Every structure is written in structure tokens, then in C-alpha cells.
């Protein structure tokens, strides 16, 4: 399924799941204004070791100026395809796939991920704890030690 099906099918979603879906959509569309409204002022991205540029990124400048800019430079195309949203109260866990293409000669690959988004009492997203099938990046030559 395409990403838009999962992000727009929301009649039974909780408010927290709607927030997570809105963030995926805003990230895909690079809608900075909506991203800023959905996130706390100093979000934290905890990206699993083995994932390209894995580490902990704190604040908008590190998350978007460092992590995402490095990630975009590594791939010809890269996107997240969320499939399952699980509301745990103050967290929303999302299971899905990264879809990426290293270069023009490379075919698209899919890599499983789990994102757990922290949600504060005001409904803003505090950040993400991310894990992915990092071995897929190693076999495609994308992971660094």
C-alpha cells in the first residue's frame, strides 16, 4: 500500500495516532510549519546504532540540520512507509518500512522499522526511539561503524 492510504484512513484513530500520522505527512511534504507545531521545541531522535548516522539527536537543529540532511545525502530517494499505529497512552508505536534507493543503478529496497513516538500532555511529540533492520543497510553499503 502507498503511504497516503495509511495516513488518511483515520476515522477510528485516537488523537495521539492522528498526531503521529500528521507528523509523517508533514515530514513527507517537508512542511516545516506543521512539523514545528507538532513537535516540542527540543525533540529528541534516538536512532539505533547500525542505522546510517545512528545516534541521539537533540533539538530541531540537530534533528533536521544534521541527521536528516546527512540521510538525504546518502540516498537518491528515502521515505518511511508506516503501516501499523499502536497507541500506548503517552507513546505511539509505528511499524512500517523504509523505502530507499541508493543511486540510479540501484533498485528500491524495503527495510523494516519500529518508531516509538513520545507524546507530552499537550499532545505534542517529544521525539522518537527508532530501530530498524540495520543489516539491510550494511549489505547495501550504507552503514558506518
Amino acid at each position: 500500500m502507498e503511504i497516503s492510504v495509511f495516513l488518511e484512513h483515520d476515522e477510528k484513530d485516537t488523537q495521539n495516532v492522528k498526531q503521529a500520522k500528521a507528523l509523517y505527512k508533514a515530514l513527507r511534504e517537508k512542511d516545516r510549519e506543521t512539523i514545528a507545531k507538532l513537535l516540542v521545541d527540543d525533540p529528541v531522535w534516538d536512532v539505533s546504532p547500525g542505522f546510517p548516522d545512528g545516534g541521539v539527536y537533540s533539538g530541531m537543529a540537530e534533528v533536521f540540520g544534521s541527521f536528516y540532511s546527512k540521510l538525504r545525502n546518502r540516498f537518491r530517494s528515502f521515505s518511511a512507509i508506516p503501516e501499523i499505529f499502536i497507541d500506548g497512552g503517552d507513546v505511539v508505536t509505528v511499524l512500517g518500512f523504509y523505502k530507499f534507493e541508493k543511486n540510479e543503478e540501484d533498485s528500491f529496497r524495503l527495510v523494516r522499522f519500529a518508531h516509538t513516538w513520545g507524546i507530552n500532555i499537550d499532545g505534542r511529540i517529544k521525539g522518537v526511539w527508532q530501530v530498524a533492520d540495520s543489516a539491510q543497510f550494511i549489505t547495501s553499503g550504507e552503514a558506518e561503524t
Side-chain angles (χ1 to χ4, degrees), residues 36-44 58-61 120 124-126:
K37 288 179 184 176
L38 293 168
L39 295 176
V40 296
D41 294 336
D42 290 314
V44 175
S58 299
M60 295 287 206
N120 75 10
R124 292 179 74 197
I125 297 170
K126 300 186 291 185

Side-chain angles (χ1 to χ4, degrees), residues 4-109:
S4 60
V5 172
F6 293 104
L7 298 181
E8 294 168 7
H9 183 73
D10 66 358
E11 64 272 357
K12 294 182 183 179
D13 289 345
T14 64
Q15 187 57 41
N16 287 345
V17 168
K18 288 179 183 179
Q19 289 292 92
K21 285 184 175 184
L23 182 60
Y24 281 102
K25 186 175 182 181
L27 289 168
R28 181 186 61 186
E29 295 172 355
K30 298 178 181 145
D31 179 351
R32 294 178 186 198
E33 184 178 324
T34 300
I35 292 167
K37 288 179 184 176
L38 293 168
L39 295 176
V40 296
D41 294 336
D42 290 314
V44 175
W45 258 230
D46 189 339
V47 181
S48 63
F51 189 82
D53 301 304
V56 178
Y57 297 86
S58 299
M60 295 287 206
E62 281 190 21
V63 170
F64 295 100
S66 182
F67 174 67
Y68 279 116
S69 74
K70 288 180 196 175
L71 191 63
R72 281 191 301 273
N73 288 332
R74 288 181 173 275
F75 300 98
R76 181 169 185 240
S77 67
F78 190 95
S79 61
I81 304 171
E83 288 192 313
I84 298 170
F85 292 79
I86 305 162
D87 188 342
D90 60 349
V91 297
V92 172
T93 297
V94 180
L95 306 177
F97 295 88
Y98 293 120
K99 181 179 179 182
F100 70 95
E101 184 180 37
K102 184 178 168 187
N103 55 48
E104 289 182 22
E105 295 80 38
D106 194 22
S107 59
F108 280 104
R109 293 178 184 234

